[in-house]
């Protein structure tokens, strides 16, 4: 459920395009006008504004935003403009082939999207960058971490609600043996179960594992795996059970302690604003006894703050 607020009566794309053009004129630009328009339009409306802007002014709106804006606001608005699949492909490319590989961003995009979404992302990635996403993963990831990502990208998972209790119990026993590190094939067992099973199955598996062995599956993973391999397995498991908590926790980490991880903050707010931010906001308040709105407000400033808060919606 989205949080950004769209006006009851939305101006036509032509009117919005004209207002944006005026905002770009003169020395500097009127960032308030830009935010007031673009932060309050959905993906379809933004696409129509882009088309109208190019038709009327023979100019590329994204390129104009690139030249007129600065800092975190520019990064956030440029990430906001594309539709979801194009945006996810772009995030993946930058995370995989940027100056430093952002393994957490890669796991977040690949392991929290549905099978149908991943198929679209893979196609857009190939069309846009001329290379398969699997090739970049092969180049930038390694070991079991790489094997999980490649398997998750290329496995067709059942996404319905039904589960087979017998298979769940067998998987629980297999995982118990796997995390005990008794066989060379243990890692492959972990990878196969975590990338092949549906989210509903993994939720049942987590409960069954706890009932059968008196230990949380997540703790077993943390005890017996390390680094990026551990992180990607836990991402899959946490998102299966409660994706809103996963994103709430990631947002808290981005703003906890000295400094702010603006890349993560922007990525999560922008990618979830039109999807499930309402639930993330609720989860954040329930878990941390404070509002996400207030936390973002205290950790950001200026027009950048205004834009992110606009995507978060009313102060709740």
């Amino acid at each position: 459920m989205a949080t950004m607020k769209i006006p009851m009566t939305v101006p036509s794309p032509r009117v919005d395009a004209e207002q944006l053009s005026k905002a770009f004129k003169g020395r500097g630009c009127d960032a308030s006008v830009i935010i007031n328009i673009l932060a309050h339009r959905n993906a379809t409306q933004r696409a129509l504004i882009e088309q109208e802007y190019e038709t009327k002014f023979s100019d590329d709106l994204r390129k104009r935003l690139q030249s007129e804006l600065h800092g975190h606001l520019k990064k956030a608005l440029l990430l906001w403009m594309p539709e979801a699949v194009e945006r996810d492909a772009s995030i993946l490319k930058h995370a995989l082939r940027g100056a430093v590989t952002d393994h957490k961003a890669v796991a977040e995009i690949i392991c929290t999207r549905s099978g149908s979404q991943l198929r679209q992302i893979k196609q857009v990635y190939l069309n846009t960058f001329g290379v398969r996403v699997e090739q970049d993963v092969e180049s930038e990831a390694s070991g079991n971490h790489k094997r999980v990502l490649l398997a998750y990208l290329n496995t067709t998972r059942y996404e319905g609600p039904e589960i087979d209790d017998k298979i769940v119990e067998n998987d629980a026993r297999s995982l118990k043996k796997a995390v005990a590190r008794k066989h060379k094939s243990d890692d492959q067992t972990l990878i196969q179960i975590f990338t092949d099973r549906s989210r509903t199955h993994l939720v049942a598996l987590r409960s069954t594992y706890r009932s059968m062995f008196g230990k949380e599956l997540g703790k077993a993973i943390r005890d017996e795996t390390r680094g990026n391999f551990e992180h990607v397995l836990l991402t899959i498991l946490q998102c299966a059970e409660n994706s809103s908590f996963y994103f709430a926790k990631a947002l808290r980490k981005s703003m906890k302690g000295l400094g702010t991880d603006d890349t993560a903050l922007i990525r999560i707010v922008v990618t979830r604003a039109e999807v499930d931010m309402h639930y993330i906001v609720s989860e954040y308040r329930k878990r941390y006894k404070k509002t996400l709105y207030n936390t973002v407000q205290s950790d950001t400033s200026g027009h950048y703050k205004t834009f992110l808060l606009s995507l978060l919606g009313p102060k709740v």
Side-chain angles (χ1 to χ4, degrees):
M1 186 173 176
T3 46
M4 26 84 69
K5 188 175 180 181
I6 298 174
M8 291 289 290
T9 304
V10 180
S12 70
R14 171 164 293 205
V15 169
D16 280 343
E18 289 171 347
Q19 290 300 311
L20 287 170
S21 179
K22 289 178 183 177
F24 294 139
K25 290 180 179 177
R27 296 187 62 181
C29 67
D30 192 336
S32 296
V33 171
I34 295 169
I35 293 168
N36 193 47
I37 294 172
L38 296 179
H40 299 283
R41 305 291 186 269
N42 63 33
T44 301
Q45 291 163 341
R46 296 194 302 274
L48 291 172
I49 292 169
E50 283 194 86
Q51 293 173 16
E52 189 64 42
Y53 189 89
E54 184 170 5
T55 299
K56 188 169 180 62
F57 302 107
S58 300
D59 196 7
D60 185 302
L61 179 56
R62 292 189 208 178
K63 288 182 180 178
R64 193 63 190 266
L65 291 169
Q66 173 86 30
S67 66
E68 295 283 349
L69 300 175
H70 305 282
H72 297 313
L73 175 62
K74 176 170 78 171
K75 184 174 182 179
L77 257 166
L78 288 175
L79 195 63
W80 177 241
M81 290 305 294
E83 53 87 26
V85 173
E86 180 188 347
R87 180 193 299 132
D88 282 350
S90 176
I91 291 171
L92 267 181
K93 186 64 174 180
H94 182 76
L96 285 165
R97 304 298 284 178
V100 177
T101 304
D102 187 342
H103 292 293
K104 288 184 177 169
V106 173
E108 182 183 300
I109 298 299
I110 292 176
C111 299
T112 67
R113 294 341 187 224
S114 68
S116 60
Q117 288 171 327
L118 285 176
R119 287 189 289 275
Q120 293 177 64
I121 291 167
K122 287 163 63 176
Q123 189 59 57
V124 170
Y125 196 99
L126 177 61
N127 294 344
T128 304
F129 305 113
V131 62
R132 294 167 62 242
V133 65
E134 293 92 335
Q135 290 175 263
D136 282 342
V137 169
E138 185 79 37
S139 171
E140 298 302 320
S142 62
N144 288 326
H145 174 231
K146 176 173 71 176
R147 294 185 186 98
V148 173
L149 293 175
L150 291 175
Y152 210 84
L153 279 167
N154 291 307
T155 300
T156 300
R157 283 169 293 282
Y158 169 70
E159 295 182 354
E162 291 84 7
I163 59 170
D164 185 318
D165 290 334
K166 184 166 286 188
I167 296 176
V168 171
E169 290 179 6
N170 287 338
D171 281 351
R173 293 189 185 93
S174 297
L175 285 176
K176 178 63 175 176
K177 292 178 182 178
V179 296
R181 298 294 192 195
K182 293 179 179 177
H183 305 287
K184 290 183 179 179
S185 61
D186 287 340
D187 288 340
Q188 188 53 44
T189 298
L190 281 169
I191 294 167
Q192 188 266 324
I193 291 174
F194 272 72
T195 60
D196 186 63
R197 304 302 192 234
S198 70
R199 291 182 180 182
T200 308
H201 181 100
L202 290 176
V203 171
L205 176 58
R206 189 173 190 172
S207 176
T208 300
Y209 191 94
R210 182 173 56 244
S211 298
M212 291 176 69
F213 306 113
K215 185 175 184 178
E216 291 290 342
L217 179 55
K219 188 177 188 310
I221 297 301
R222 285 190 291 272
D223 288 345
E224 301 298 338
T225 59
R226 295 291 180 270
N228 292 322
F229 183 41
E230 173 192 347
H231 175 77
V232 73
L233 291 178
L234 290 176
T235 296
I236 294 169
L237 188 61
Q238 290 166 4
C239 285
E241 183 145 6
N242 188 344
S243 61
S244 296
F245 177 46
Y246 168 83
F247 286 113
K249 185 166 66 172
L251 283 166
R252 184 169 185 261
K253 285 182 180 179
S254 75
M255 295 178 281
K256 190 178 179 182
L258 294 174
T260 300
D261 183 351
D262 290 287
T263 297
L265 175 59
I266 290 168
R267 182 182 67 247
I268 297 169
V269 171
V270 167
T271 58
R272 310 316 295 181
E274 294 182 277
V275 182
D276 55 1
M277 185 56 76
H278 175 80
Y279 302 108
I280 296 168
V281 166
S282 176
E283 194 70 30
Y284 192 96
R285 184 167 191 166
K286 182 174 78 173
R287 299 278 181 165
Y288 305 119
K289 312 305 178 188
K290 60 177 73 173
T291 68
L292 179 57
Y293 189 102
N294 285 344
T295 308
V296 171
Q297 188 174 45
S298 65
D299 266 62
T300 57
S301 61
H303 293 301
Y304 169 50
K305 174 174 69 176
T306 302
F307 178 69
L308 291 184
L309 294 180
S310 296
L311 298 191
L312 291 179
K315 184 177 182 179
V316 292

